[in-house]
Amino acid sequence: MFRTALRTVLAHKARLLMTVLAVMLGVSFVSGTLVFTDTIGDAFKKSSTTSYRNVSVAIKAGDSGPDSVRLSQKLLDAVKDLPGTASATGTVSGFTAVADKKGKLIGDGWSTRGANYAGAAKYPVTKGRAPAAASEVALDAKTADRAGYQVGDTIRMSVDGPVMTQKLTGIFTTDDGNVAAGGSLALFDTATAQTLFARPGQYDEIDVKAAAGTSQSALRAQVGKILPTYAKDAEAVTGKTLADDEAQQISSGLSGFNKTLLAFAGIALFVGVFIIANTFTMLVAQRTKELALLRAVGASRRQVTRSVLTEAFLVGLAAAVAGFLLGIGIAAGMRSLLASTGATLPDGALVVQPGTVVAALAVGVGVTMLAAWLPARRAAKIPPVAAMGALYAPATVKGLVVRNTIGAVLSAAGTALVLLAAGTKDGANLPMGAGAALLLIGVFVLTPLLSRPVIAAAGPLLRPFGITGKLARQNSVRNPRRTAATASALMIGLTLITGLTVVATSMQSAINKMATDSLKADYQVTMANGTYLSPDVEKKLAGLDRVTASSGLRDSFVETGGPGGGESLLGVDAKAIGGLVTLDFSSGSIGALGGSTVVIDSDTAKLEGWKTGQTVPVTYEDHKTGRLTIGGVYEGNEVISGVLVDNAVLAPHMNEVEDMRVLVKTSGGATAATKDAIEKALGNNPAVKVQDKADVSREISSFIGLLLNILYGLLAMAVLVAVLGVINTLAMSVFERSHEIGMLRAIGLDRSSVKRLVRLESLIISLFGALLGIGLGVFFGWAAGRLIAGSVSTYALVLPWGRIGLFLAIAALVGVLAALWPARRAARLNMLASIKAE
């Protein structure tokens, strides 16, 4: 039976090719994902190990109080005198915004850092020299290259304050993880860095290198003995521990990315299951006589099943090996693609773990044999007498009734779960996911039943094509199960793509509506790294001729003694805030805000049980007490929420007066000239962001757009697998209908009409799958949107008709392209040989 299976595989190479390709693509995605994440993780781990190669022990400042957040020069000197110390270096760092030659911030603000130059061992200077004066700076090579800076250039930068103009004296290389991730690193001489980021003579960290013969643990013990004398809250950590911790963080950070990629690989394989099952079902149907003869000459049911599964094993093994090799290429391509988008990744060779090889083989062989199991069971049930009967055995009415009943039950249960989850605000993710899975499976089971009425409805559209259109429609519904399996592969891909597009489009609309409806201010001013602004910023802006209203927004926690334990007060300019934001009041008004009268959002009112007119005792952060009167209750939004209080009342109780952001209203509205005037008033500071409503919306939605494009790219794999399924089905259908096609040619159907017949059939199947996928995708997008609407008040369903139309057009194109080879093959069949075919 093994030889029989092997000969069968070799005899049907062309028919199994598409199955091999489908499995190969899914396996390549799995193995490529594993190789890519292993490679990146290994490169980052080696980078972190390299960055700590000269650090035997690191002393880190404590966080328990203002007197223990820095390390002193005395501690550094004491560490240098330890018998196990070869060298010790103090480091201090902080946020540093570096402007490019156009004055724009380099990097994203979160990974733009500055520090003191800690020696050539840590920062090898490749051009120029290290900074030695307060007016000098050195830049990492990648940042200098991005901005086009050369030694001797003048650079504008800011460190949480006014703009500084520094001379670039050197360019260095570094293994710093922030730089590897696309950030920037600027180095100052130690005295200047301490002035900028700490205080003279103070450090954030002291890195110690052990003397020859001293282990890291022994040196750490020596350091631990003197720490209580100089910095009781500091801790000493070995370099190995730091490297291991960073490696663990890298692994944790990559695990989410890895799971996402593997999820989409799973989708591609899931789609491939339909193709495999479809292929083996058709092969079994075509070999009814052959299998029946095997039974007649003594083969048992188990042997027949084993024969079909052996074929699946051989196909899966070939696909797995090819997919694994292709996956290595995909991993290399993914790394190059990320590098081309500006993502900076550490260098390193491709890493292929033994587990990746095992996973690729297990997935390829396992998925193929699993998908072929049901056709194998069907093959085993073929009675020997079928060898004398017809080639194809039609599905029984009982089988179809059972299938349709199961599909209806699954679809109803799935729909009920999705609707239930859509009407629930909290904890509905699990029932939503379960309902979506049940509904998707239910529709797949019902697809043969749905295919007849849906394809019949396309009859009027096919009339212009005459007899070929009529034959194409009849061929599409001749074998509903096969049509369903082929269309379902495309349906799954388009369901996911459409659902994601509906959610993303609706979210984009919600963001725009939030910025337009909730924000009256023309501009929002913030720090690039999310830290606080000096109150001087608001004062400077208020003095501009173009500015008609402005308000700094600052926060401070107060104790209330209520159920919430306390609330965060949001300080605003009571006179100006009404012209800067839009607030909908259920009681009271914004005009009541001022003095000791505050306004609160509805969530706070519900939590604390407060009402308009009520007076609440509070304890401020300076431990002074006071009483606040509720002057109104409003509906909070994404722009502003919480307890609003006048800055004049809040500021005297704050330990440090700082603004989270500043809202600005101008006389001429948001124009390029006004924005330039505001930026100029703030010294064209790269650390400060000036954004209008469009900028705010664009910044938030850019992440959604990037994520959607990545998901489109990943789901394209599933659609590509579905295309292979259409090609495979049509090719095998043409083979099955060789006799029929020969007869049609004999009675006058020319080759061009045969091609048109196959193309129309492919088009019908593709559009059928697309309609089901788009319908389900819109439903799932609506349901997911109901969950999002609970946390985003401006969210509303928006159907992207343009993209939906594009998806239908792509599905039609898929149908046309998938039919090219099968149609050409059908048209080239020899008429006489086809008539003689069984």
Side-chain angles (χ1 to χ4, degrees), residues 149-163:
Y149 283 130
Q150 300 292 333
V151 173
D153 287 348
T154 299
I155 300 177
R156 299 177 70 257
M157 56 180 55
S158 175
V159 180
D160 288 342
V163 175

Side-chain angles (χ1 to χ4, degrees), residues 166-503:
Q166 304 289 115
K167 181 180 179 181
L168 181 62
T169 63
I171 296 174
F172 61 91
T173 58
T174 177
D175 295 315
D176 187 279
N178 283 328
V179 174
S184 64
L185 180 61
L187 297 181
F188 306 89
D189 67 278
T190 299
T192 302
Q194 288 176 330
T195 302
L196 293 172
F197 306 124
R199 295 176 184 174
Q202 292 187 338
Y203 301 96
D204 295 326
E205 183 177 320
I206 295 176
D207 296 330
V208 191
K209 184 177 182 180
T214 303
S215 66
Q216 290 188 359
S217 58
L219 180 58
R220 181 181 178 277
Q222 293 179 21
V223 171
K225 291 179 180 180
I226 66 171
L227 279 184
T229 303
Y230 298 96
K232 61 180 180 179
D233 295 320
E235 66 169 333
V237 185
T238 64
K240 183 180 184 304
T241 300
L242 290 173
D244 291 344
D245 289 346
E246 188 166 313
Q248 179 61 39
Q249 290 176 3
I250 292 168
S251 297
S252 300
L254 289 174
S255 65
F257 183 58
N258 190 15
K259 289 176 183 177
T260 301
L261 291 178
L262 287 175
F264 284 97
I267 292 170
L269 285 170
F270 183 59
V271 173
V273 165
F274 297 123
I275 299 173
I276 300 165
N278 212 15
T279 300
F280 278 93
T281 298
M282 287 187 283
L283 285 175
V284 168
Q286 291 169 11
R287 292 163 50 205
T288 299
K289 284 188 177 181
E290 176 188 329
L291 295 173
L293 284 171
L294 286 175
R295 292 290 313 283
V297 298
S300 65
R301 286 189 175 187
R302 182 175 297 178
Q303 285 178 312
V304 172
T305 302
R306 194 181 303 142
S307 173
V308 176
L309 289 178
T310 301
E311 292 177 42
F313 172 80
L314 295 173
V315 170
L317 183 63
V321 173
F324 169 70
L325 297 175
L326 179 60
I328 296 176
I330 288 176
M334 289 173 69
R335 189 166 64 172
S336 300
L337 179 63
L338 283 177
S340 67
T341 61
T344 308
L345 302 173
D347 297 327
L350 286 174
V351 176
V352 181
Q353 301 282 3
T356 302
V357 181
V358 173
L361 294 176
V363 167
V365 174
V367 167
T368 307
M369 293 187 69
L370 179 66
W373 177 73
L374 190 58
R377 286 190 67 233
R378 288 177 184 162
K381 292 180 180 180
I382 296 175
V385 72
M388 309 300 297
L391 181 61
Y392 308 112
T396 63
V397 174
K398 180 181 178 182
L400 291 174
V401 170
V402 171
R403 176 177 181 139
N404 294 337
T405 302
I406 293 173
V409 171
L410 290 174
S411 298
T415 302
L417 270 176
V418 171
L419 292 175
L420 178 65
T424 306
K425 289 186 178 181
D426 300 321
N429 291 337
L430 183 60
M432 176 72 75
L438 284 176
L439 178 56
L440 195 61
I441 295 171
V443 171
F444 165 68
V445 175
L446 283 175
T447 305
L449 179 65
L450 297 173
S451 64
R452 290 184 179 276
V454 174
I455 293 176
L461 300 177
L462 297 174
R463 284 175 187 166
F465 297 99
I467 189 64
T468 54
K470 182 177 181 180
L471 288 173
R473 181 177 61 80
Q474 291 175 345
N475 287 334
S476 299
V477 296
R478 177 185 297 179
N479 192 329
R481 289 184 175 180
R482 182 188 305 167
T483 298
T486 306
S488 294
L490 193 60
M491 176 191 76
I492 293 170
L494 283 177
T495 296
L496 296 171
I497 290 175
T498 305
L500 289 170
T501 303
V502 168
V503 172

Side-chain angles (χ1 to χ4, degrees), residues 10-31:
L10 295 176
H12 300 101
K13 294 188 292 291
R15 277 178 272 174
L16 291 171
L17 177 62
M18 295 302 168
T19 300
V20 171
L21 287 175
V23 180
M24 181 188 72
L25 284 174
V27 171
S28 67
F29 210 165
V30 171
S31 58

Side-chain angles (χ1 to χ4, degrees), residues 503-521 582 637-639 692-702 704-705 792-796 798:
V503 172
T505 304
S506 301
M507 195 65 194
Q508 175 66 64
S509 175
I511 292 168
N512 293 336
K513 185 177 178 61
M514 175 190 72
T516 303
D517 295 352
S518 303
L519 197 62
K520 292 181 182 178
T582 300
N637 54 57
E638 285 70 30
V639 174
D692 59 21
K693 295 178 186 179
D695 293 330
V696 173
S697 176
R698 192 160 40 245
E699 183 178 60
I700 300 173
S701 60
S702 62
I704 297 174
V792 181
S793 60
T794 55
Y795 187 92
V798 176

Side-chain angles (χ1 to χ4, degrees), residues 520 538 548-553 570-581 589-595 597 599 644-649 663 665:
K520 292 181 182 178
E538 196 273 332
T548 58
S550 65
S551 174
L553 274 62
L570 181 62
V572 297
D573 186 319
K575 296 180 180 179
I577 194 65
L580 298 171
V581 296
S589 68
I590 192 66
L593 179 63
T597 301
V599 294
L644 303 190
V645 62
D646 192 358
N647 276 331
V649 173
L663 302 181
K665 183 77 172 176

